[in-house]
Structure formats: C-alpha cells, structure tokens
Amino acid sequence: MTSLRFDHQTLPQRVRFASSAAAENLRDALTELGAHRFMVIASRGQRAAAEAILAGVPVAHWCAEVVMHVPVEVAQRARDAAADHDVDALISIGGGSATGLAKAVALTSGLPIVAVPTTYAGSEVTPVWGMTEAGRKTTGTDPRVLPKTIVYDATLTQRLPVDLSVTSGLNALAHSVDALWAPAVDPVNAVLAGEAIRALRVGLSAVVHEPTGLEGREHTLYGAYLSAVAFASAGSGLHHKICHVLGGMFNLPHAPTHAVVLPHVLAFNAPNAPAAERRIAAAFDAPNALDGLITLRDALDAPRALRDIGMSADGIAAAADAIVAAAPAGNPTPVTTETISELLHAAWAGKEPR
Ligand code: NAD
C-alpha cells in the first residue's frame, strides 16, 4: 500500500443516459436551462435524427455547416448566426465536429450547450475547444465551452457504420489509456479509465459482431463517456500530443489516427508505467496490456498504418521534432527525437508495435 495524496477536480455537468429517451431527456434538459431560443448544430446527415428528437422544441435557427476541426471562418459564421437569431442556448446533435462547433460559439458568447452525441468522440465531456486557421489547429481550455448537459442515447449511434464505430471507439479508448500517464493522473481518473477500457472492450466487440445490437452500443457509449471524464481530468498525455501534431501537420482523419498510433504509444510507455500496465491488462482481461490492445484491434479489424490514412513518409522528421517539443515532461519513457522517429516510422508502415 502506498500513501495517497491528490488534487482532483470534478467538472459540473449533468449526464442523462438512456436508450430511446433522447427526446424526453432533451426536453427536460432544456426546461432545466430555462432557455427559449435554440440554435441547433447538426450536419445535414444528422438532420432527420435531430428533427425526430427535437419534436415540439422551437428551433430559432439550424446550423448545418459542420466541418471537422472547426475552421475559424465556419466558427465565425455560426457565431454571427447565433447573434442574428438572438438565441439563448445551443443544442449540438452529432459527433465531435458538431460539438466542436457549438464549443466555438460558446467560447465567445457564453451560451450554454446541451450536447447530444452520435459518436464516441467524447468532446462533450471536456472543457477543451479546438479550431483551425490556415491549416493550423489551436486548442484551449475554457469552462464556458463545457456542455451543461449531455443527453446520451445509444440508439443514435446504431446507424454509425462499423468502421467509423471502431475508430471512434478506439479514439475513446485512447482517452482512457493516455489518461493513465497524463500530467494530472490521479487515483480517481485511473479507476474511471480502467472501467472505461473494460466497457469499450466488451462494447466494441459486440458492435462489430452485431452493429445494430443495442447493448454493445450502450457499453461503448458508456465507456466513451468514462474515458472522456478520465481524460478531461488527467489532461493530454504523449499519445494525444502525437495525434495532435500529426492531425495538424498532415490533415489526417482524427479517429483513425488515434486508432493507429495508440498501440505504439502503449508499447513505448508500458515498460516504464507498471501500475498503468497492470490496470490496462486487467481491463482487457489479458496477460499484458499490449496483448490486450492488439487482440482487440485485430478483432475489430482497425486501421494499422498511417500511410493508409493519408500520411506521407516525408513529414516524419518534422513531426518527430514537433512531438518532442510538445511531449509532457513526466512521460514514463523519456522522449527523444530518435525514439519518436522510430515510433512514427513503425506506425507509418503498420509494423507490429514493440
Ligand atoms: P465527426 O463528428 O466529424 O463525425 C465523423 C463522421 O461520422 C461524419 O461524417 C459524421 O457526419 C458521421 N456521423 C456522426 N454520427 C453519426 C451517426 N450516428 N450515424 C452515421 N454517421 C454519423 O467525427 P468525430 O470523430 O466524432 O469527432 C472528431 C472531432 O472531434 C475532431 O475535430 C476532434 O478534434 C474533436 N474532438 C474533440 C475533443 C475535445 O475534447 N475537445 C475530444 C475528441 C474529439
């Protein structure tokens, strides 16, 4: 037994989690806010699902310009629309990109957000916003962008194609794994991360087996939520720094990048993070953490190589330098240009992580 000492912050947010109850839970959440003029942020692809759960809610404005990584000009148009329509609350219905746009509006307006997620990205749980300008992504943390309420309804994820479900679920898994060695890891978020990994293992395995089955979807959504709570509390570890650099430099798709990179970061850090290693192995019900992750990745048929998702090998040297500059000081395994270049080469080529 070791002595315990930590400083854990719990973020103020209500979470309503129930399948087939989004409409009812959303109405209750809006009543609780006391707002009356809503701007709904939902892409055209989510419009029908959004209309179904918004039945009877007066919508002052629909904002459908949802773009990954929130370009600043898109954020500005949404902010102008919110002001023009005099809205007093935002409802985001969609994946991390829809939530991200709502956050960009809340950042400058202070408008409250009710988030209805349809992927496993977990952005709805964090006070982290992100925007891109001229190909450069900037992120920041601000309590105003944390949604007041999340309405989780696993039936909304049943239409998410299996490949997107897998990469989105592995993006969630990356939140919990990385939380275990992130700068502000503590015993509370470590417990959440362990349960998150277990739920994602069980849930994602069921989703690929039966994509429209509800229980697999529920477990994956629950695991995604817990992962994001752990991540929001622990902060960004090495894995997120790597994906942030790669995403920004090469405009790679967000969730697949996480899916490819995670096993390499786990192989890199696990030998020097024994407590995290044991927790991850136990959550995977595997002899060791890396075996557990590789077994799940293979069962899910997840992407394995950065070269398959749009990265060219030319950029590895520049990316390695940027990652070394951004890496958290307390990473369990010391980070050098050589070790990160080796990791990136392996992830680029789709080599088995060691
Ligand atoms: P996304 O929101 O772009 O969605 C991916 C695709 O899936 C889109 O084409 C979308 O229309 C479609 N889709 C969404 N839900 C669907 C459903 N239920 N059925 C069918 N299709 C559906 O991608 P994402 O991976 O959810 O989010 C990625 C974005 O979120 C990135 O910009 C990332 O930086 C951000 N993010 C932010 C945080 C944070 O804490 N701030 C955390 C995670 C991700």
Side-chain angles (χ1 to χ4, degrees):
M1 221 185 298
T2 51
S3 124
L4 286 171
R5 186 186 169 107
F6 58 87
D7 175 0
H8 178 85
Q9 200 183 353
T10 301
L11 300 176
Q13 183 174 62
R14 181 158 189 170
V15 181
R16 297 170 177 265
F17 191 112
S19 293
S20 305
E24 187 187 327
N25 276 334
L26 180 60
R27 268 194 301 279
D28 288 349
L30 298 177
T31 305
E32 210 165 65
L33 274 187
H36 303 285
R37 291 186 61 78
F38 305 105
M39 180 161 93
V40 179
I41 296 176
S43 68
R44 269 175 250 295
Q46 296 301 320
R47 178 75 181 238
E51 280 179 351
I53 58 177
L54 282 160
V57 173
V59 177
H61 183 64
W62 285 90
C63 177
E65 198 185 6
V66 174
V67 183
M68 178 111 56
H69 302 316
V70 197
V72 284
E73 56 280 9
V74 172
Q76 193 51 52
R77 281 194 283 277
R79 288 167 177 165
D80 291 346
D84 290 349
H85 294 273
D86 196 22
V87 307
D88 56 7
L90 307 167
I91 303 171
S92 64
I93 302 175
S97 300
T99 315
L101 182 56
K103 286 177 162 183
V105 177
L107 182 65
T108 51
S109 64
L111 288 169
I113 303 172
V114 176
V116 187
T118 63
T119 69
Y120 309 118
S123 172
E124 65 280 358
V125 184
T126 79
V128 178
W129 55 266
M131 265 176 276
T132 46
E133 185 165 20
R136 212 170 145 266
K137 185 163 182 178
T138 309
T139 59
T141 300
D142 193 305
R144 282 178 304 178
V145 310
L146 180 74
K148 296 281 176 274
T149 299
I150 307 171
V151 173
Y152 282 120
D153 179 342
T155 63
L156 300 175
T157 66
Q158 281 173 310
R159 278 188 323 112
L160 191 64
V162 171
D163 58 341
L164 288 183
S165 302
V166 164
T167 51
S168 186
L170 291 175
N171 180 192
L173 189 72
H175 290 146
S176 37
V177 170
D178 210 31
L180 290 168
W181 44 62
V185 60
D186 67 40
V188 181
N189 43 48
V191 164
L192 294 171
E195 168 63 357
I197 295 167
R198 185 205 63 78
L200 287 167
R201 166 177 63 86
V202 172
L204 283 170
S205 304
V207 165
V208 290
H209 184 65
E210 194 193 350
T212 55
L214 193 55
E215 285 181 10
R217 294 289 182 179
E218 284 180 343
H219 276 75
T220 306
L221 200 54
Y222 164 67
Y225 166 66
L226 292 183
S227 290
V229 178
F231 172 67
S233 168
S236 279
L238 178 65
H239 171 84
H240 279 80
K241 298 295 183 189
I242 292 176
C243 292
H244 184 85
V245 167
L246 296 179
M249 275 190 167
F250 308 108
N251 194 25
L252 301 184
H254 181 82
T257 307
H258 281 268
V260 172
V261 171
L262 185 63
H264 295 276
V265 176
L266 179 56
F268 183 71
N269 270 349
N272 298 308
E277 202 283 332
R278 280 195 299 276
R279 194 180 292 275
I280 297 167
F284 277 129
D285 195 19
N288 65 66
L290 189 60
D291 263 16
L293 179 57
I294 295 296
T295 303
L296 180 67
R297 181 203 66 184
D298 291 352
L300 302 178
D301 196 19
R304 291 173 188 209
L306 292 172
R307 69 175 166 195
D308 294 341
I309 60 167
M311 181 174 163
S312 88
D314 314 346
I316 290 181
D321 286 341
I323 290 164
V324 171
N331 191 63
T333 300
V335 169
T336 65
T337 310
E338 293 69 37
T339 52
I340 293 299
S341 297
E342 201 181 316
L343 185 156
L344 290 180
H345 274 287
W348 180 81
K351 284 192 190 146
E352 276 309 299
R354 281 184 289 118

